[in-house]
Each structure stands twice: as structure tokens, then as C-alpha cells.
Amino acid sequence: MASTILKRASCSAMNSMVGGHRIGVLSRSYAVAVGTDIVSAAPDVSLQKARSWDEGVSSKFATSPLKEIFKDKKVVIFGLPGAYTGVCSQQHVPSYKNNIDKFKAKGIDSVICVAVNDPYVLNGWAEKLQAKDGIEFYGDFDGRFHKSLELDKDLSAALLGHRSQRWSAYVVDGKVKVFNVEEAPSDFKVSGGDVILGQI
């Protein structure tokens, strides 16, 4: 039922090629695309690394500026509607977790999962999925990151509120080299780990 609602909430999409890479492109435009400087596209935005409440207190609730996350690094980042949800838990995160060694072999410095959740929920979810060793989880707690990139999505019809599209990107020193967006947040066709591995 929720899957049907999520599909209804989406707009139509098409697949295209950019630089020889297959990407998922929605008919609407985004503030991010191949060639975008992701740090400049989301100025003054910081993310919160997944952590326990006690770790948050001891760090004085420190945040991570995008420049710190992307500068001089090869990063694979993927965004999803939310922790503990079906496709995100059963397919999206596992597709990256199960390919960590392959990403490292391609010289990827970080594999990052970002969601419109607080860092404490993401921490508990990452631990449940046993994915914290290979994937860095970041909370976009107020949705500013996704709103800046125009990747935000109102999923109130599925009782999730304002969340994000399901997407992935390969980013080198802040510049987007590959960008994939699903047609609907409930889809899992172009944003998985296996797909982006073939695009790097």
C-alpha cells in the first residue's frame, strides 16, 4: 500500500546517458546534475554524522560541513526516504554494504548514506543493519541539504512527511561525476550500489 502511495506521489522519469553513463533523470530539473559542485549547490549546509545521544553530547552536537565531507575525496553518496523503511532497509543499504570491497578497489574514499532523519535514529538503524563499518551515515535532520539540491520530496501521503528522493551520486573533490534519481521513491532501479559501481 505504502509503495503504491509513494509511486502516486512521484512524477514521470526517463533514462538517459551522460558521458557514457546511464543515469535516472526525472522530467523535472534539480539544482544538482553531472558537473555540479555539490558544496556550492548547498552553501552553509552541514550534516550530522550518525551517533548515539551520548556521543552527540560529548561532541557538543558537532556537525560536518559539506566541504569537510567532499574535499579532495572520491565519494559515493546515496540518499533515501528514511531509516527503517522497506526498500531502504532491504535493498538500498545492502546494495552498498555488500559491495564495500569493490568500491574500495576502485579508489573510493567514502561511501555515504544520507537521509532526512536525526543522527540518533540513523545510528540505531545502521547498527541494526550492521553497516556502520563500511558506510558512513549522515542525518539531514532539517532537510536543508536535500532542499538545496531540490531533491526533497513530500511523502506525507505515506505518513513520512517531508523526506528525499531516492538517489545516488559519484562525487570527486566536490564535483558530481555521476547522478542517478529514481522515478519514484519506492523504486529501486538506478540508485543501487551495483549500478553506480558500473558507472565509476
Side-chain angles (χ1 to χ4, degrees):
M1 179 65 172
S3 176
T4 302
I5 293 170
L6 289 176
K7 283 180 183 291
R8 279 189 202 141
S10 71
C11 56
S12 63
M14 61 181 178
N15 287 327
S16 29
M17 299 287 289
V18 173
H21 297 307
R22 181 172 175 263
I23 62 170
V25 182
L26 292 185
S27 56
R28 59 167 281 194
S29 60
Y30 297 98
V32 61
V34 173
T36 298
D37 183 323
I38 203 166
V39 179
S40 298
D44 304 318
V45 171
S46 294
L47 298 174
Q48 294 187 330
K49 195 161 189 180
R51 60 197 175 207
S52 68
W53 179 260
D54 289 342
E55 289 170 334
V57 171
S58 65
S59 72
K60 298 182 180 178
F61 302 104
T63 60
S64 301
L66 295 185
K67 189 173 183 179
E68 179 183 295
I69 295 170
F70 293 105
K71 185 171 174 53
D72 299 324
K73 294 178 184 174
K74 292 180 179 179
V75 176
V76 168
I77 182 170
F78 63 103
L80 41 79
Y84 294 101
T85 55
V87 175
C88 303
S89 298
Q90 297 163 14
Q91 294 177 278
H92 208 174
V93 171
S95 76
Y96 287 86
K97 175 188 169 185
N98 297 336
N99 282 303
I100 289 299
D101 289 343
K102 293 178 182 177
F103 283 116
K104 297 300 180 187
K106 285 182 174 277
I108 301 302
D109 297 299
S110 304
V111 174
I112 292 173
C113 173
V114 62
V116 183
N117 287 114
D118 65 69
Y120 319 109
V121 165
L122 281 177
N123 188 62
W125 184 50
E127 288 181 347
K128 181 177 181 179
L129 295 177
Q130 299 180 335
K132 279 186 77 175
D133 288 344
I135 301 172
E136 296 176 24
F137 288 77
Y138 284 90
D140 178 21
F141 79 98
D142 59 0
R144 284 181 63 210
F145 176 67
H146 285 94
K147 286 174 188 172
S148 295
L149 302 180
E150 298 176 357
L151 286 168
D152 54 311
K153 184 81 176 171
D154 185 356
L155 297 177
S156 296
L159 306 179
L160 292 172
H162 290 271
R163 297 300 183 105
S164 77
Q165 303 279 0
R166 187 180 305 284
W167 61 279
S168 65
Y170 171 46
V171 184
V172 179
D173 193 22
K175 299 289 193 306
V176 176
K177 301 296 184 182
V178 173
F179 178 54
N180 307 302
V181 188
E182 297 290 354
E183 178 179 356
S186 55
D187 285 347
F188 184 66
K189 298 173 183 174
V190 300
S191 63
D194 294 316
V195 173
I196 207 163
L197 262 174
Q199 297 171 320
I200 296 171

